[in-house]
């Protein structure tokens, strides 16, 4: 699943290539992906792309006041196409193609565009065509962006104060902080040397400052690595840049201990016992419930 750094890099990638071009057409292949009806997608036809930005994990393509917004969800991705001239019309079917956006040709005669694809059987990729990004419920409810200047240690302190949830869950709650998902929350907690099960409200001021620093540096570093990469190379870059997430059984780069995994909510999380939990493996709650 693309998180803040990948969506940020995708926005930058699209900005360089799509801004200034007109939308020739939008082909919706997976009808369930389109979540809005007014304005219709046809309203984008002939309109020039004026900007591309990010809201949390949402990608926002501004077509002169009409916004084409997408959330790629778990299995979604964006594929840039240098030339869609002569591309076959797509029929709804079993393939991964969900939406195709065709753009006007440049001086070279090539008409580029991009395609939103979704792998797997769980279709969660979402597209919204709106006049104001705040009309998208997921955007209206977003917490602060961790890379915005306004996201200070004081803001994080207000977030954790009195909050009885586990810090892992809090970090990936989009209503609390925008843009962090399962992968980067594991990474942030490893950098902060903090147990994922720690209760947010129990953090000392020093720990809050350390966590804030870990959030900002982890995301900034990941954006730095992703920046300038082609859309197709971002997935591999994300994977290679992760130090604990998805690395169960491998050695921790920092201390050499073995990275472990424990179930959490609807999936699992990875952590280093020596770096984060005083060397003690976390109990798998799902398992202990079964044993009772
Ligand atoms: Zn370690």
């Amino acid at each position: 699943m693309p998180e803040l750094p990948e969506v940020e890099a995708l926005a930058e990638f699209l900005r360089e290539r799509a801004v200034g071009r007109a939308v020739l057409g939008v082909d919706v292949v997976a009808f369930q992906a389109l979540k809005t009806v007014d304005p219709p997608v046809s309203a984008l036809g002939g309109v020039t792309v004026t900007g591309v930005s990010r809201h949390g994990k949402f990608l926002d393509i501004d077509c002169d006041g009409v916004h084409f917004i997408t959330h790629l969800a778990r299995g979604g991705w964006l594929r840039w196409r240098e030339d869609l001239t002569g591309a076959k019309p797509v029929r709804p079917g079993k393939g991964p193609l969900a939406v195709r956006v065709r753009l006007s040709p440049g001086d070279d005669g090539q008409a580029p565009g991009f395609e939103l694809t979704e792998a797997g059987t769980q279709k969660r990729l979402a597209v919204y065509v709106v006049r104001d990004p705040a009309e998208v419920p997921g955007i209206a409810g977003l917490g602060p962006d961790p890379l915005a200047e306004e996201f200070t240690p004081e803001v994080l302190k207000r977030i954790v104060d009195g909050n009885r949830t586990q810090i892992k869950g809090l970090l990936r709650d989009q209503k609390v902080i925008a843009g962090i998902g399962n992968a980067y929350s594991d990474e942030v907690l490893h950098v902060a040397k903090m147990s994922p099960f720690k209760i947010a409200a129990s953090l000392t001021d020093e720990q809050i400052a350390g966590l804030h620093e870990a959030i900002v540096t982890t995301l900034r570093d990941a954006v730095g690595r992703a920046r300038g990469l082609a859309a197709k190379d971002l997935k591999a870059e994300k994977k290679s840049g992760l130090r604990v997430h998805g690395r169960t059984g491998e050695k921790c780069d920092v201390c050499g201990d073995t990275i472990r995994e424990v179930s959490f909510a609807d999936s699992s999380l990875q952590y280093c016992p020596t770096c984060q939990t005083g060397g003690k493996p976390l109990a798998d709650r799902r398992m202990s419930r079964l044993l009772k």
Side-chain angles (χ1 to χ4, degrees), residues 28-182:
V28 179
V29 184
F31 295 108
Q32 80 280 358
L34 184 63
K35 305 300 180 194
T36 53
V37 288
D38 180 38
V41 278
S42 57
L44 295 163
V47 182
T48 303
V49 177
T50 48
V52 184
S53 59
R54 175 186 63 77
H55 314 274
K57 296 187 241 175
F58 290 84
L59 184 65
D60 176 358
I61 295 139
D62 184 355
C63 306
D64 205 17
V66 182
H67 296 256
F68 176 97
I69 295 176
T70 183
H71 188 284
L72 295 168
R74 194 168 279 183
W77 201 248
L78 184 145
R79 184 160 74 188
W80 178 254
R81 301 281 306 268
E82 291 295 346
D83 193 10
L84 284 167
T85 316
K88 288 199 187 95
V90 271
R91 291 202 196 100
K94 290 201 173 76
L97 184 59
V99 178
R100 175 186 280 167
V101 177
R102 292 172 283 117
L103 299 170
S104 60
D107 296 337
D108 56 4
Q110 292 194 325
F114 61 88
E115 294 172 338
L116 303 179
T117 60
E118 187 171 32
T121 50
Q122 279 193 328
K123 299 300 183 192
R124 297 238 183 94
L125 183 141
V127 168
Y128 310 83
V129 179
V130 290
R131 290 186 184 86
D132 178 355
E135 290 172 43
V136 178
I139 292 180
L142 283 177
D145 191 284
L147 291 187
E149 251 174 62
E150 299 78 49
F151 185 72
T152 58
E154 290 68 39
V155 168
L156 183 60
K157 185 173 162 57
R158 281 202 294 275
I159 288 172
V160 300
D161 267 355
N163 195 317
R164 301 297 306 164
T165 50
Q166 292 169 331
I167 196 72
K168 164 78 180 176
L170 181 134
L171 283 179
R172 55 173 224 178
D173 182 346
Q174 302 305 297
K175 294 187 206 73
V176 174
I177 301 173
I180 302 175
N182 203 22

Side-chain angles (χ1 to χ4, degrees), residues 12 14 26 46 117 171 203 211-212 239 257-258 286:
E12 216 164 287
L14 273 186
V26 178
T117 60
L171 283 179
L203 296 186
L211 180 63
H212 178 269
K239 213 168 167 216
D257 193 0
T258 303
R286 208 164 41 182

Side-chain angles (χ1 to χ4, degrees), residues 25 43 47 58 94 106 111 123 140 144 150 163 181 217 225 234 237 243-244 254 283:
V47 182
F58 290 84
K94 290 201 173 76
K123 299 300 183 192
E150 299 78 49
N163 195 317
T217 55
R225 287 193 306 268
L234 282 169
E237 167 49 49
R243 303 198 303 177
V244 283
V254 175

